[in-house]
Amino acid sequence: MTESGKEMLAAARFIKEIGRGKDGARSLSRDDAHTLYAAMLEERVSDLELGAILLAMRVKGESVDEIAGFLDAAETSFAPLQAPQGAYAPVVLPSYNGSRHMANLTPLLALLLAREGVPVLMHGVTHDPQRVTSAEIFAALGLPHAASVQEAEAALARRQPVFIPIQVLAPKMARLLAMRRILGVRNSTHTLVKIMQPFAGPALRLTSYTHPEYLEMLSKYFGSAAPHQRGDAFLMRGTEGETVANARRAQQIDWFHDGQRTMLVEKQKVAEEIPDLPEGRDADVTARWIEAVLKGEKTVPIAIVEQVEHCVAVVAALSAAR
């Protein structure tokens, strides 16, 4: 028991299972994963044990049961949002990578969906010293970040696209994300924020992966372990880690609905004609280009047009089924 009255979790039995290296480690059950991650979120694990857990999982890699148990705990650690009633269920856009080489067009995707009347919630980090974040582009577009869940819900009701920082949406998860600055490597929470569903009702999650092993694991999660009542998911290789279709070469997009997997977009070759894209990748240049697209002065990249169409069709069906 700590001074704050929290009963600490003795994590040694979990570390013993996951801490035996990539080949010798064993995976936790879904229930044990839930117990462990809930304690991590509630700061009921000592700093020494927390570091050991994060690094052990980094080396071992997460199993489907572990991700499922972690996410069960994560989604009960913050207040879920209420989506507005209407013709469309909401779209959830995680944005945690930003762009290093290309212009980050995730905000364009959000604005195009909102223009169709779809409630759009983007959550993520506000700043990355080496990348241009969606949050910075939202600010350059004059779109303020939601300072509370209630503020986000009010904007969604007005059919405005919302960016909510992870520290506002899920502060306990944000604390674990910030461990990267201390340990120097990502941890399981970086995967969880990209697949979590922050609404009380069904929604469409746009999710991405960066390494082939995550494609296999996340496909199994959405196919067999994700609660179907939480809605659907699109899974694709990230555009520099982001969930917007690559304007130069559209990625394969798989749709998961009630555990069934459908390929919506096939992997495509490099476009024969290079689309008219922003001349730079900084936030102001990208924001001005997005404004030109919305005014009809620039053309929306075909891959993003198709992505919007698929999103609208799926969230319309999700809403009709409610």
Side-chain angles (χ1 to χ4, degrees):
M1 191 79 71
T2 66
E3 293 181 1
S4 62
K6 296 178 181 178
E7 184 174 352
M8 300 298 285
L9 176 74
R13 69 181 182 93
F14 301 107
I15 297 170
K16 185 177 180 180
E17 298 297 313
I18 64 176
R20 297 175 181 268
K22 189 170 181 64
D23 297 324
R26 292 186 290 268
S27 294
L28 302 176
S29 68
R30 185 167 184 161
D31 286 343
D32 279 349
H34 180 283
T35 297
L36 178 60
Y37 198 74
M40 292 162 59
L41 289 164
E42 295 162 5
E43 300 185 58
R44 293 190 293 108
V45 175
S46 71
D47 290 346
L48 180 62
E49 291 168 309
L50 178 61
I53 292 163
L54 296 179
L55 289 176
M57 292 302 302
R58 174 74 176 180
V59 172
K60 182 184 81 66
E62 304 90 353
S63 70
V64 173
D65 279 344
E66 286 168 337
I67 280 294
F70 289 168
L71 193 58
D72 291 342
E75 290 185 344
T76 58
S77 72
F78 59 88
L81 282 81
Q82 300 295 328
Q85 295 297 312
Y88 301 115
V91 169
V92 180
L93 273 172
S95 185
Y96 289 83
N97 288 69
S99 62
R100 180 177 290 170
H101 303 292
M102 302 167 57
N104 176 7
L105 301 186
T106 315
L108 172 64
L109 174 60
L111 287 162
L112 291 173
L113 286 167
R115 190 163 69 176
E116 296 293 326
V118 175
V120 181
L121 180 78
M122 183 185 293
H123 59 88
V125 295
T126 55
H127 178 69
D128 187 309
Q130 297 179 324
R131 292 172 177 262
V132 179
T133 66
S134 294
E136 291 165 336
I137 297 170
F138 259 63
L141 286 164
L143 299 171
H145 305 162
S148 68
V149 168
Q150 294 74 22
E151 195 173 292
E153 290 174 336
L156 289 170
R158 298 191 298 269
R159 291 299 188 267
Q160 294 176 350
V162 175
F163 181 92
I164 185 167
I166 186 61
Q167 61 267 30
V168 175
L169 173 63
K172 293 179 180 180
M173 296 184 74
R175 184 183 70 86
L176 294 180
L177 273 183
M179 292 298 162
R180 182 186 183 186
R181 294 197 296 268
I182 299 172
L183 297 177
V185 294
R186 293 172 180 259
N187 62 68
S188 301
T189 308
H190 289 83
T191 298
L192 298 176
V193 291
K194 291 186 176 183
I195 63 173
M196 70 181 188
Q197 207 282 69
F199 285 95
L204 171 63
R205 284 172 274 185
L206 303 194
T207 61
S208 65
Y209 64 92
T210 52
H211 298 89
E213 59 267 26
Y214 281 98
L215 170 61
E216 180 180 359
M217 187 271 289
L218 291 176
S219 295
K220 290 179 180 177
Y221 171 74
F222 286 121
S224 62
H228 297 164
Q229 72 273 17
R230 303 288 287 142
D232 294 3
F234 287 177
L235 180 60
M236 59 179 270
R237 188 174 187 88
T239 301
E240 295 202 73
E242 291 289 315
T243 56
V244 63
N246 192 319
R248 293 189 174 93
R249 180 174 58 189
Q251 309 92 314
Q252 178 176 318
I253 299 179
D254 291 323
W255 169 35
F256 292 86
H257 171 74
D258 285 346
Q260 299 298 312
R261 181 179 185 175
T262 302
M263 185 189 299
L264 291 181
V265 177
E266 294 185 9
K267 186 175 181 179
Q268 298 176 11
K269 297 179 180 179
V270 177
E272 293 183 3
E273 295 185 9
I274 301 299
D276 182 12
L277 297 175
E279 294 181 357
R281 67 177 187 91
D282 65 82
D284 284 333
V285 169
T286 303
R288 303 293 80 77
W289 182 87
I290 289 173
E291 289 174 339
V293 170
L294 296 174
K295 292 176 183 175
E297 298 169 358
K298 302 278 188 182
T299 303
V300 183
I302 294 175
I304 298 178
V305 171
E306 293 178 349
Q307 188 179 18
V308 169
E309 291 173 349
H310 288 304
C311 288
V312 170
V314 168
V315 292
L318 282 176
S319 179
R322 286 189 290 198

